[in-house]
Amino acid sequence: MCLAIPTKIVDIKGKKGTVEMGGVKKEVGLDFIPKAKVGDWILLHTGFGLEIISEKDALETIDAINEAYQVMPDEY
Amino acid sequence: MNIKKFQDPKLIKKIVEKLKRNKRQISLMEVCGSHTMAIGKWGIRDLLPDNIKLISGPGCPVCVTPMSIIDSVIDLKDVTIAIFGDLMRVPGERGSLELARAKGLDVRIVYSPLDALKLAQEKETVFVGIGFETTIPGIAYTIKEAYKNNITNYSVLTSLKVVPPALELLASADDINLNGFILPGHVSVVTGSNAYNFLPEKYNIGGVVTGFEPADILVSVDRLIQQVENNDAKIENEYSRIVTPEGNKHTQEIMKEVLEIDDGIWRGIGEIPKSELKIRKKYSDYDAAKKYNINIEYKEDKSGCRCGDVLKGNIIPPECHLFGKSCTPSNPIGPCMVSSEGSCAAYYKYERKQ
Ligand code: SF4
């Protein structure tokens, strides 16, 4: 039930944003992430954006993991 | 957002190779039901060597919602009852809400608490608000909205649990033999990873806040093993792409504004001190327990269901003698088999040995 999904904001009006999921547009509350901008990836749970996902951090994490376990980038 | 890289088979193989070099007996608890599902889905238990055990924990909100909530909702008359879908088939003492709906109770499944608030425009509505920190801010938001806009025919019957006290109960148990916690990713978005610092400080048990892809989970297992090897229990954050040390302050503020901490009843476990958020006096008009005089109490499960032992990590689901026999997803006896994130459902779906 705590599962939340990453989704991208395609429009914002006031404290409401629009995300697109599988071709369907959905309205989400942005009250908890007032800094969210159009184009941001957010974590969506029960109709609310809970956090902005850091793409930079995601890439850094995977690079660090690949390095730690010595998987060469060309291996994937 | 490219999460495929966290699913890369070559990377998974490398991490597993490293994990196989460890020869210690290691028991780790994945606290969160979504992790239990991810572990099942990716076959992680089968990838790990026998000396590394992953035990499922209490992180399934539906599973720990007191039975008396279901029973008291069934008795409500002339109102719309809004619930999250997972709650529909959870058995109470006198059957489930699904059964009650078949007999005429107006039960509606909502995806968001905001949908429940909308239902109140048509008719007096009681929302059965259950969840952990991930879900609580949205529920608190509707209560505040209803208060602000003077919507009087909306109330919430709450079972809002917070995770750290449950971990404290597990960590302080005498017979504990856990070497670390795989900490919930999405609860921690709200609480922040600092919320678990008491685990190493007070109990010398470490934890890693973890994402839901296979590489996330395996890396966390490796980090927890390293903590054990170096005798260096600490809280690490593997999920820094979403989780910060302090958590989301906007969600924390609304929770604090609308709710206050109290002792809580967990189905199958009993009372856990300071583990539940209840509606503050200022908002008591929106508290369905007060509005309808509902008393939430602990009820012993007489069905023979061992969900409580599953949630505390004392047994794994197949050790319950009803598992897969009289208790299946199409005929669930206990909540751990109903919820899509319940351990018994996860084991039934992914890990049942034919
Ligand atoms: S298998 Fe069914 S009866 Fe047994 S613990 Fe799980 S939910 Fe309860």
Side-chain angles (χ1 to χ4, degrees):
Chain A
M1 223 192 88
C2 288
L3 195 66
I5 38 174
T7 166
K8 198 174 182 170
I9 302 183
V10 295
D11 192 21
I12 296 181
K13 282 194 181 68
K15 285 181 181 170
K16 298 268 177 244
T18 307
V19 297
E20 217 176 67
M21 284 183 330
V24 183
K25 288 201 167 139
K26 236 179 157 35
E27 196 182 70
V28 300
L30 300 178
D31 302 73
F32 306 143
I33 43 171
K35 286 196 186 131
K37 309 182 298 298
V38 172
D40 280 349
W41 280 87
I42 60 163
L43 189 72
L44 173 69
H45 176 73
T46 64
F48 294 89
L50 275 190
E51 196 51 273
I52 302 168
I53 307 173
S54 160
E55 201 152 7
K56 183 171 152 274
D57 238 309
L59 291 173
E60 277 173 16
T61 303
I62 196 68
D63 284 348
I65 294 176
N66 279 327
E67 205 176 308
Y69 300 94
Q70 285 156 15
V71 179
M72 298 300 153
D74 60 359
E75 283 188 50
Y76 48 68
Chain B
M1 184 80 18
N2 190 351
I3 48 165
K4 281 270 180 294
K5 290 178 179 175
F6 288 87
Q7 304 168 352
D8 173 27
K10 288 201 185 74
L11 172 60
I12 305 301
K13 207 171 135 223
K14 293 263 189 195
I15 310 174
V16 170
E17 270 167 26
K18 178 161 182 236
L19 291 174
K20 284 192 172 149
R21 277 183 245 144
N22 158 69
K23 297 292 170 230
R24 283 170 193 268
Q25 291 292 331
I26 298 279
S27 295
L28 306 174
M29 177 176 273
E30 91 269 3
V31 176
C32 158
S34 305
H35 276 141
T36 304
M37 287 310 274
I39 286 165
K41 178 173 155 201
W42 296 103
I44 288 179
R45 260 178 261 271
D46 286 339
L47 291 176
L48 294 176
D50 288 345
N51 57 326
I52 304 177
K53 294 255 173 311
L54 299 183
I55 300 160
S56 309
C60 159
V62 170
C63 304
V64 299
T65 295
M67 189 156 30
S68 67
I69 288 219
I70 311 283
D71 294 333
S72 36
V73 168
I74 289 175
D75 289 334
L76 290 176
K77 298 278 167 317
D78 304 322
V79 296
T80 295
I81 292 153
I83 58 168
F84 289 130
D86 265 12
L87 208 56
M88 196 62 154
R89 299 175 60 222
V90 172
E93 235 169 17
R94 289 173 285 130
S96 65
L97 289 170
E98 186 177 50
L99 202 72
R101 184 168 74 168
K103 290 183 189 156
L105 196 70
D106 181 12
V107 184
R108 318 262 185 104
I109 290 178
V110 293
Y111 153 74
S112 163
L114 295 168
D115 301 336
L117 189 58
K118 268 189 211 134
L119 285 172
Q121 288 172 359
E122 298 162 23
K123 192 173 138 191
E124 178 83 38
T125 297
V126 176
F127 176 48
V128 186
I130 67 164
F132 289 147
E133 286 92 334
T134 325
T135 319
I136 296 174
I139 296 173
Y141 179 91
T142 60
I143 295 172
K144 201 173 164 194
E145 278 294 296
Y147 179 88
K148 225 168 65 188
N149 299 311
N150 206 14
I151 300 170
T152 53
N153 52 355
Y154 176 71
S155 62
V156 186
L157 188 58
T158 59
S159 172
L160 306 173
K161 308 288 198 263
V162 285
V163 169
L167 298 185
E168 178 135 33
L169 183 86
L170 290 163
S172 62
D174 291 337
D175 50 354
I176 176 126
N177 49 10
L178 287 175
N179 300 105
F181 288 104
I182 296 171
L183 294 167
H186 294 149
V187 159
S188 308
V189 168
V190 171
T191 62
S193 56
N194 285 345
Y196 311 104
N197 287 344
F198 69 95
L199 287 171
E201 283 163 13
K202 259 173 99 175
Y203 301 102
N204 197 31
I205 299 181
V208 181
V209 175
T210 305
F212 297 89
E213 300 303 325
D216 290 319
I217 295 168
L218 289 166
V219 164
S220 291
V221 170
D222 188 30
R223 288 204 194 165
L224 287 165
I225 293 174
Q226 284 173 37
Q227 287 191 19
V228 174
E229 268 174 8
N230 301 331
N231 195 12
D232 180 26
K234 58 186 170 193
I235 299 302
E236 298 181 63
N237 182 9
E238 186 277 335
Y239 204 30
S240 61
R241 57 191 187 273
I242 309 189
V243 174
T244 60
E246 299 80 24
N248 179 319
K249 76 171 190 318
H250 300 282
T251 57
Q252 292 164 6
E253 274 162 15
I254 193 148
M255 285 158 71
K256 214 166 149 200
E257 158 73 25
V258 178
L259 308 161
E260 62 191 346
I261 197 91
D262 201 348
D263 301 340
I265 294 170
W266 295 53
R267 183 171 185 161
I269 298 179
E271 188 171 275
I272 305 183
K274 305 220 175 315
S275 66
E276 181 154 337
L277 292 173
K278 300 208 174 128
I279 298 172
R280 282 187 192 276
K281 213 165 163 199
K282 175 177 171 191
Y283 297 98
S284 62
D285 287 352
Y286 300 92
D287 188 343
K290 299 228 164 74
K291 200 167 181 178
Y292 299 99
N293 220 352
I294 294 170
N295 188 21
I296 309 296
E297 50 179 8
Y298 186 76
K299 286 185 183 171
E300 234 20 273
D301 199 324
K302 299 195 185 81
S303 63
C305 167
R306 296 193 62 195
C307 232
D309 282 321
V310 171
L311 295 166
K312 284 184 279 192
N314 292 343
I315 63 165
I316 59 168
E319 290 177 88
C320 166
H321 68 289
L322 302 175
F323 178 84
K325 298 188 184 94
S326 54
C327 184
T328 62
S330 51
N331 181 32
I333 305 233
C336 300
M337 189 62 94
V338 180
S339 168
S340 58
E341 289 174 7
S343 296
C344 298
Y347 266 79
Y348 191 89
K349 187 162 177 198
Y350 296 115
E351 309 199 33
R352 200 160 32 114
K353 306 281 180 267
Q354 299 297 335

